[in-house]
Amino acid sequence: MILLLLSLSVKSQDTNDTEIVEDYSIADQLYTKCFENLNQGIEIFEKYPPLKSRKFCSLIECMFLYSYKEEDIKFAAEKRLIGIATQLYNAGTPVYLTMGMDSYLYATEKNKNLEDDDHLIYINYGECTNPRFLSDAAEIINRQTLSLIKQSTSK
């Protein structure tokens, strides 16, 4: 019996059988997509040498950029988030970020039909607890997306 348990333990630690699951959903693609043509904040990044070499060209990167305490960096992050949300809207792929319990399941379910609710693509960025900067950054994106939708429907 001990020999059987030891062999199972050794087999469970075998990393050759590890299955890698990659998600290529539209939400994940848009969350990590790099928008090369962003120029908001370039002058601010010049003041901070560690930031000069980074692109900060995706939603996820700009959301984390929003975590800096320096107001000018936060301002640049906000402008980039607005720019990305606008580009996504103009490309016909408006995004809405969600968080909270079961938000991944909610986003997955909502993304099954991309022809409903103004073609919004829901992106889950976290479950129950997240740092405040992520929620604030998501609010910037959602506010811009909803503003653009409202403008287009009022025409």
Side-chain angles (χ1 to χ4, degrees):
M1 185 65 152
I2 294 173
L3 186 57
L4 177 64
L5 289 174
L6 287 174
S7 67
L8 288 175
S9 175
V10 169
K11 180 64 178 164
S12 70
Q13 295 176 9
D14 184 10
T15 58
N16 291 336
D17 293 335
T18 303
E19 185 176 325
I20 298 173
V21 177
E22 294 184 22
D23 187 0
Y24 292 111
S25 69
I26 185 74
D28 287 336
Q29 290 175 34
L30 295 177
Y31 194 43
T32 59
K33 178 181 178 179
C34 182
F35 293 84
E36 298 283 347
N37 59 346
L38 294 175
N39 58 11
Q40 299 92 332
I42 290 175
E43 66 284 350
I44 293 169
F45 299 151
E46 291 295 321
K47 293 180 1 185
Y48 301 97
L51 300 181
K52 284 175 31 175
S53 62
R54 299 285 317 259
K55 288 186 179 183
F56 297 108
C57 60
S58 68
L59 282 174
I60 191 169
E61 289 174 322
C62 292
M63 288 178 78
F64 276 92
L65 182 64
Y66 199 74
S67 71
Y68 282 80
K69 64 181 181 187
E70 293 83 359
E71 289 302 316
D72 54 349
I73 294 175
K74 289 178 91 159
F75 179 77
E78 180 178 356
K79 294 302 176 194
R80 284 181 176 245
L81 290 167
I82 290 170
I84 292 172
T86 302
Q87 287 186 49
L88 287 169
Y89 175 82
N90 290 337
T93 53
V95 297
Y96 190 87
L97 278 70
T98 64
M99 63 147 299
M101 185 176 215
D102 295 330
S103 59
Y104 175 78
L105 298 174
Y106 174 78
T108 302
E109 184 63 31
K110 292 294 280 181
N111 288 340
K112 284 182 179 176
N113 179 6
L114 298 178
E115 300 301 317
D116 65 346
D117 60 15
D118 296 306
H119 306 281
L120 280 173
I121 297 169
Y122 292 83
I123 297 174
N124 168 50
Y125 68 92
E127 289 297 329
C128 293
T129 58
N130 289 294
R132 180 75 188 164
F133 71 86
L134 285 179
S135 300
D136 291 345
E139 179 58 33
I140 292 166
I141 295 160
N142 294 344
R143 189 173 44 241
Q144 178 66 7
T145 298
L146 296 177
S147 172
L148 292 168
I149 289 170
K150 185 177 178 182
Q151 286 176 11
S152 71
T153 58
S154 66
K155 289 181 181 177

